[in-house]
Amino acid sequence: MNMKMSKGRTALFLIALFLTNIAVMADMVIIPAANELYETFQNPTAVNFILSGAAFIMLFSAMLCGKAMQYFSKKNILIGAMIVFAIASIFGGVVVNVYYVLFMRVLVGISMGFVNAAAMALIAEVYVDENKRGTIMGTFNAAMAGIGAVMSLVAGVFAVKSWQEVFKVYWIAVPVIIMMFFFLPQTAPERESEMEQETGKSTETPYLVHQMMLMLSCFAYNLIYAIIYYQVAVLVAEQGYGNESIAGLLSTLGTVGSCILCILFGSIYNKLKRATIILGYAGLCISYLMLYLASGPVMAGVACTLCGASFGYGFSYFFMRCTVVVPAEKISSSISLTTAIGGFGMFLSTYTCTWLQNLMGVSSVLEILPVAIAAAGAAAVLSVICTIADKKHPSDITEL
């Protein structure tokens, strides 16, 4: 750590920081109500944006956060973003109008980008040791998955009554904001010195190549995973597995799997480093194959658990990896870029589903899963090739 905190203070800091995942996992509340939203508004394009548009807005807000961190404390950014989140999410369904709900989801997306980027950057600033940072990031993402699981499960129960009821789950943001005021450390803004900028120029070409490849992989990973992430309620309705509560349960199982793998991520990454992501893509491939072959909700639940585990594992990888392939002074901007690229991939997933259905002449989510299976399998093979190449041309900035 580069700042002194007692064990008690550190524990309270981490609890408050981990609870900011309520904003990052905001989509988990609305996903169980997806099918009802499509039926209520009869506007697939707008509802697609309601479901995944927040991830698209993150593309811009996360990048803006990277710039804001140069001039404002991460604590102030986090608290401000959480206040915006609380207002937009709690009151997101008070008006039964598709464009009102869409607008409030835009505000949620703005806050999500700031919260995710600033929280990860704060971890990278406090924990300078790579191994310790990997462990804390994995634990942070485990908390993200656990919080998402609880939110999805509760939202699934509320969604049975009405899609508007799910917004009540967001009230939990209020006590979290109070904790953030008291327990987050007040760090200094990250204005880059002229010396840091000169240092960055000396390694610009090699690190940019590695960073670009990492971002392309991050985009693909999020796009593939989010197909079922946003459409699980639709799949449940198509296959006759049950109502919104079953959709919420499947989403919850995914986040439970994610929680488990995130906890284990630190130790796995410390051993595999660049090769870590191979297992992530393989997990996505297998989970989609299981989901495609599922004959009932039990097997679908197992598939969703594995899929969520793979995502949490990959999510931790990209946020950890983006801090070691760039110079130290570029870490916060690299985290912001990773947040943005991942959000963009997730945003495009719902539209990709619609495009694939039109292209293939099908009308169900299940019928496009073979494409996801093939994409994840191809990415796993490509990751093996890139890992082998990385041994000759290391991507870690400390090895350049």
Side-chain angles (χ1 to χ4, degrees):
M1 297 174 66
N2 66 355
M3 61 181 67
K4 297 293 184 180
M5 287 191 288
S6 66
K7 290 184 178 179
R9 181 72 181 183
T10 299
L12 291 171
F13 152 61
L14 290 176
I15 291 171
L17 187 67
F18 289 0
L19 286 174
T20 62
N21 280 311
I22 288 169
V24 180
M25 298 300 286
D27 288 349
M28 295 298 294
V29 171
I30 204 167
I31 285 171
N35 197 56
E36 190 175 353
L37 285 168
Y38 283 114
E39 293 178 352
T40 299
F41 294 120
Q42 296 296 310
N43 188 335
T45 301
V47 174
N48 278 347
F49 196 91
I50 288 173
L51 292 176
S52 65
F56 174 68
I57 300 301
M58 284 178 65
L59 171 67
F60 304 100
S61 61
M63 296 300 293
L64 183 59
C65 181
K67 188 66 176 178
M69 284 188 286
Q70 299 296 321
Y71 301 98
F72 301 98
S73 167
K74 296 179 182 68
K75 176 178 181 176
N76 295 342
I77 292 173
L78 281 166
I79 291 175
M82 281 296 291
I83 291 174
V84 173
F85 166 76
I87 294 172
S89 60
I90 291 170
F91 301 104
V94 297
V95 178
V96 185
N97 179 281
V98 67
Y99 297 108
Y100 170 83
V101 178
L102 189 152
F103 173 73
M104 297 302 272
R105 289 283 293 162
V106 167
L107 296 181
V108 167
I110 292 172
S111 63
M112 287 169 63
F114 273 91
V115 170
N116 195 33
M120 284 293 191
L122 185 56
I123 291 174
E125 180 177 354
V126 173
Y127 295 95
V128 295
D129 177 74
E130 182 180 344
N131 291 339
K132 184 64 174 178
R133 184 191 303 167
T135 299
I136 296 299
M137 282 190 170
T139 307
F140 177 85
N141 293 331
M144 181 190 302
I147 288 170
V150 175
M151 292 171 67
S152 178
L153 191 61
V154 175
V157 175
F158 283 11
V160 174
K161 182 178 180 181
S162 167
W163 66 267
Q164 290 175 285
E165 291 291 306
V166 301
F167 293 93
K168 293 180 180 179
V169 177
Y170 293 124
W171 276 101
I172 190 62
V174 175
V176 173
I177 293 172
I178 296 173
M179 291 184 65
M180 293 168 66
F181 268 108
F182 289 103
F183 303 132
L184 294 188
Q186 189 77 35
T187 60
E190 294 183 346
R191 293 190 180 91
E192 294 181 351
S193 67
E194 292 183 4
M195 182 178 296
E196 289 174 330
Q197 292 175 357
E198 288 294 326
T199 302
K201 290 178 182 178
S202 65
T203 60
E204 183 174 1
T205 301
Y207 97 74
L208 283 178
V209 171
H210 293 306
Q211 186 180 32
M212 183 179 299
M213 293 176 63
L214 184 68
M215 293 303 100
L216 287 173
S217 183
C218 180
F219 171 80
Y221 202 92
N222 281 269
L223 176 62
I224 295 169
Y225 165 73
I227 289 176
I228 195 60
Y229 178 71
Y230 286 118
Q231 302 288 340
V232 65
V234 178
L235 182 67
V236 166
E238 287 175 356
Q239 299 302 109
Y241 292 153
N243 58 20
E244 288 82 0
S245 64
I246 297 298
L249 177 60
L250 293 185
S251 293
T252 299
L253 289 173
T255 50
V256 169
S258 178
C259 182
I260 295 171
L261 260 293
C262 286
I263 291 173
L264 299 175
F265 173 77
S267 59
I268 296 173
Y269 178 82
N270 290 339
K271 292 180 176 64
L272 298 181
K273 299 296 184 181
R274 171 65 180 81
T276 303
I277 195 58
I278 298 172
L279 299 180
Y281 275 117
L284 285 182
C285 181
I286 295 170
S287 62
Y288 273 119
L289 179 60
M290 292 175 62
L291 197 61
Y292 182 69
L293 299 175
S295 57
V298 174
M299 187 171 178
V302 174
C304 286
T305 303
L306 177 59
C307 193
S310 302
F311 175 71
Y313 177 85
F315 187 88
S316 298
Y317 169 82
F318 290 114
F319 275 99
M320 179 60 207
R321 200 70 186 160
C322 79
T323 67
V324 299
V325 300
V326 299
E329 69 273 10
K330 300 292 185 181
I331 287 177
S332 289
S333 59
S334 182
I335 289 173
S336 296
L337 180 61
T338 302
T339 303
I341 292 297
F344 188 49
M346 295 192 76
F347 162 72
L348 286 182
S349 66
T350 54
Y351 294 93
T352 300
C353 284
T354 301
W355 176 75
L356 284 174
Q357 287 169 341
N358 292 335
L359 180 66
M360 299 169 64
V362 299
S363 58
S364 71
V365 174
L366 186 73
E367 291 172 296
I368 65 172
L369 290 187
V371 177
I373 295 168
V381 173
L382 183 60
S383 293
V384 172
I385 296 172
C386 290
T387 298
I388 294 172
D390 194 67
K391 292 182 178 180
K392 294 183 179 180
H393 304 284
S395 55
D396 287 30
I397 197 69
T398 55
E399 298 177 45
L400 292 175

